[in-house]
Structures are given as structure tokens and as C-alpha cells.
Amino acid sequence: MECNKLFVCSEEGAKIMDGCCSEECKQSEFKRPFDPDNAFRPFRKWYNYFDDEFKERELQEK
């Protein structure tokens, strides 16, 4: 989620890269879940991607 780059890739490329723009993003602990069947649907609000534990941590860091 920390990277929010807009990039162009093919459907095959999206599957290979797991929806990520780089290897660094692919390894990130904050990587958005990737669903190849819905690869071209827009991303939803950040809180739809993470569980309550992550959300609590986010609030504590502020």
C-alpha cells in the first residue's frame, strides 16, 4: 500500500508480477492482495485489504 504507482502492463505481466510494479513491491509486507480474475478492477479503499490487527497498528503509529 505504500507504493501507489500507476503503471501499464499486460494481463500476463500482471499475473507474473502478482499485480506489482517491481520486485521490491512484490516483497513488501504491505502488498495489496492480487486477484488475477479481477486484475483490472479499480482498487478499493485501503481498509478493505487489511485485517483489524493491521488497522490497530496503523492507528497506534500516529
Side-chain angles (χ1 to χ4, degrees):
M1 284 294 295
E2 290 181 355
C3 171
N4 204 23
K5 292 181 182 174
L6 178 62
F7 63 99
V8 178
C9 69
S10 65
E11 187 173 347
E12 182 180 340
K15 289 178 184 176
I16 291 169
M17 291 300 291
D18 202 24
C20 297
C21 65
S22 68
E23 287 297 326
E24 181 182 0
C25 286
K26 205 171 167 182
Q27 302 303 319
S28 173
E29 65 180 297
F30 303 112
K31 184 177 91 54
R32 290 180 177 108
F34 178 70
D35 178 3
D37 295 329
N38 292 308
F40 298 103
R41 291 183 65 197
F43 288 118
R44 303 295 176 235
K45 297 207 179 283
W46 74 270
Y47 50 77
N48 291 324
Y49 294 101
F50 297 100
D51 60 17
D52 290 333
E53 181 181 324
F54 177 85
K55 294 173 195 174
E56 290 295 322
R57 188 185 78 193
E58 187 74 14
L59 292 174
Q60 291 172 358
E61 290 177 0
K62 290 182 178 180

